[in-house]
């Protein structure tokens, strides 16, 4: 580098030629371009349909544990002696349905930390294993406390899928296709809302001598296990690929140029060359230094890549609070439909209900989900 183009150019014995400064600044720009190119992450491949289908199965396995219990929750409370009759089973049935949600309140943030620490794929597999174990435990539970604990711990707290859905879809789809992947995955929920109540209602008490809730929960556990296998073949290679493409920052930065070269801009090269061509006396004041002695209004062309510590919103921002309100309202309406409506359907006619069986109720709930499936298909077709 010419003496007067370095950070200590003022102490140089002679001024460098303008052409030599131009060459040096051009080289700095070229090296900075190379460094920026190395810092960019590799281009992401398109999300495969099988990977999206695997995520849909994960969402379906989670969704099945929610919606399959509604057709028989009131009957289960009576059969296990938790309630006197179906007219008074609403309190217990409500707890069975909402036990999974209560446990997610303190654990959702922890699942985010776990995904950051160990990766999203192990978190998804652990969630699926918890769904399988929790389904079997709930199916054989006789005491009310064991049934509530099974749903609260395994189907709720140890199931991190609701907290990981957006993160995983973003990782699988990348920046270009994350919206498409998320819409497909969310669209799988109504499909299992269609088949879940039917399976729960028609398989409840199907096998004599077994706990009445075990057959539908065996199906839920089997669905979770099958989804684990599918995720192993479709999502595990993708997760390993993301880890292997992470560039080692220390090696990439080892040969980086000093910042006095990186911050040079093309718009100021002419001015820099003129300053480098001045006499030794003038060079003390107008030299090509970048460690704080460059021209006062010179903009920095290439700064170090910014690190994003969050999504840009404060925790108590109005936008985030609006999202919380939207999600809370949606959850309230959903559970009012799924919990209160089945209790009305199974209540006796003397209590003002329809006195439906669990088979008829499961069919009714599945038929009602057809509209949701249709709406979901229309939504996922939007660009």
């Amino acid at each position: 580098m010419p003496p007067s183009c370095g950070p200590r150019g003022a102490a140089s014995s002679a001024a460098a030629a303008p052409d030599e400064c131009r060459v040096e600044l051009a080289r700095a720009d070229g090296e900075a371009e190379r460094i920026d190119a190395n810092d960019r992450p590799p281009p992401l491949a398109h999300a495969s349909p099988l990977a999206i289908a695997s995520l849909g199965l994960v969402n379906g396995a989670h969704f099945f544990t929610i919606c399959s219990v509604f057709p028989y929750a009131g009957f289960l409370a009576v059969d296990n002696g938790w309630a006197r009759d179906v007219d008074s089973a609403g309190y217990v049935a409500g707890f069975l349905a909402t036990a999974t949600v209560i446990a997610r309140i303190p654990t959702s943030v922890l699942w985010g930390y776990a995904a950051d620490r160990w990766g999203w794929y192990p978190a998804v597999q652990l969630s699926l294993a918890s769904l399988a174990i929790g389904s079997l435990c709930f199916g054989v539970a006789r005491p009310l406390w064991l049934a509530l604990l099974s749903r609260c711990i395994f189907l709720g707290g140890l199931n991190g899928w609701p907290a990981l859905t957006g993160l995983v879809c973003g990782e699988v789809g990348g920046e270009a296709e994350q919206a498409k992947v998320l819409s497909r995955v969310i669209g799988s929920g109504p499909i299992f809302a269609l088949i879940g109540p039917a399976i729960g209602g028609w398989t409840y008490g199907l096998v004599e001598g077994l706990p009445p809730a075990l057959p539908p929960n065996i199906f839920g556990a089997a669905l979770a296990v099958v989804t684990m296998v599918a995720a192993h073949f479709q999502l595990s290679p993708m997760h390993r690929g993301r880890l292997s493409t992470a560039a080692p920052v220390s090696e990439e930065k080892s040969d980086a140029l000093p910042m006095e070269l990186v911050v040079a801009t093309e718009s100021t090269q002419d001015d820099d060359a003129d300053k480098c061509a001045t006499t030794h006396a003038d060079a003390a004041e107008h030299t090509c230094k970048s460690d704080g002695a460059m021209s006062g209004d010179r903009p920095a062309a290439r700064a170090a890549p910014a690190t994003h510590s969050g999504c840009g919103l404060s925790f108590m921002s109005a936008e985030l609070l609006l999202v919380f309100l939207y999600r809370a309202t949606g959850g309230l309406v959903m559970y009012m439909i799924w919990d209160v409506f089945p209790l009305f359907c199974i209540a006796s006619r003397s209590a003002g209900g329809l006195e439906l069986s669990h088979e008829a109720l499961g069919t009714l709930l599945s038929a009602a989900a057809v509209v949701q499936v249709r709406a979901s298909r229309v939504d996922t077709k939007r660009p």
Side-chain angles (χ1 to χ4, degrees), residues 1 28 57 88 127 177 242 258 263 292 309 342 349:
M1 179 184 299
L57 281 178
S88 59
S127 299
E177 296 187 339
R242 293 291 190 273
V263 297
S309 59
R349 295 187 181 276

Side-chain angles (χ1 to χ4, degrees), residues 6-19:
R8 295 179 177 83
S12 59
S13 58
D19 291 339

Side-chain angles (χ1 to χ4, degrees), residues 244-324:
S244 62
T245 55
V249 178
S250 58
E251 296 180 2
E252 294 291 336
K253 298 299 183 180
S254 59
D255 58 346
L257 292 177
M259 283 302 297
E260 57 265 17
L261 297 181
V262 177
V263 297
T265 61
E266 295 181 359
S267 61
T268 58
Q269 285 181 3
D270 293 337
D271 183 52
D272 291 333
D274 292 338
K275 291 179 181 179
C276 289
T278 57
T279 61
H280 175 69
D282 293 336
E285 298 179 0
H286 303 289
T287 186
C288 296
K289 294 187 298 182
S290 63
D291 50 350
M294 297 179 66
S295 56
D297 56 350
R298 174 179 298 180
R302 294 178 183 88
T307 57
H308 300 281
S309 59
C311 62
L313 297 177
S314 63
F315 183 73
M316 297 303 293
S317 65
E319 294 85 354
L320 198 56
L321 290 177
L322 185 61
V323 173
F324 289 160

